[in-house]
Amino acid sequence: MPRSARLLAAGLLPLLACGALAPAAVAQGPRPTAPGTTGPAAKAPAPRPPGPATPDPAFEAARAAFEARPEAERRAVQDALVWAGNYTSVVTGTFGRRTYEAIGAWQTMSGTAATGILDEPARAALLAAGEAARRAARFTVAPDAATGVVIGVPERLLSKRSRLSGGTRWQSPDGRITLDTKASPPGESDLDALFAQNSAATPDRKVTYSLKRPDFTVVTGETTAGKFYIRHAAGPAGIRGFTLAYDKASAREMDRLVIAIANSFVPFPGEAPPAAPAAGPTARATVGPTTVPAAGPAAATGLVVGPRRIVAVLPGSCATLRRGP
């Protein structure tokens, strides 16, 4: 056997004994160019990463004006925007693109310029409109004795009330709108199983949004004739939640009320409620745990067997050769 072949075999035997061989490309410098030929074409320079987005002066001015107000006033503005039908998110008192656009939409509806900044007369008009809509719906936020949750109920629409096993039902006189609360003691129900059941799609049932976190879930969707919103939360006292279902004929009003009901929901009074979107986008978006790989220096063991080719032992085998500085 030629000396070079014996050396190659001797180098490969320890690698074969370790197992986990994997071919990989490795840069060995430029390849030799045959006489009379030109070298490889130069690579085009890598594109520069995009720079930071240019700040929007109008948005930043609206943010500064909004955040200058006390938190209670900021929340009141967002809640009024919900009742006006312009804001479809959680009432948190923080300013973002949805709040900015909702204020602009309200200003357009009011016949004023959509600046995103509310002066005192506009703020007062918005709060008054929101309160009027809330009173018209007879929206009452109160504890539910059957479950222990706090929830808002539009009693003008849901005037019928009855007791369920482990919960309460509010319903419209014609039965087309139903709000159910439900509580399960620890160990009786499982949040993962409930989420799997509620987020299952069928030919007659489409899920438009789903969100799963360790302590709560949200699922929204549509059936042939109606729409639904389901939320559950898990805590030391068990699982508590509610389901709201309504026909599409009432969607114009109920789509707004869904946001108000979801924002009012407190599954475990006395504890900080988990933050969740009041309503989701039309596309389904299931959120699960994210795994982040551990950081550390790259390492490999291998033997060069040809130009730009290496046989390497994957990390975790019997030997590791670290790349020098």
Side-chain angles (χ1 to χ4, degrees), residues 2 32-33 182 229 256 285 292 318:
T33 304
K182 176 75 173 179
Y229 180 104
R256 177 188 62 188
V292 180
C318 57

Side-chain angles (χ1 to χ4, degrees), residues 50-73:
T54 304
D56 181 352
F59 177 83
E60 294 304 326
R63 179 202 295 275
F66 187 86
E67 293 180 347
R69 313 293 298 195
E71 180 182 351
E73 293 186 17

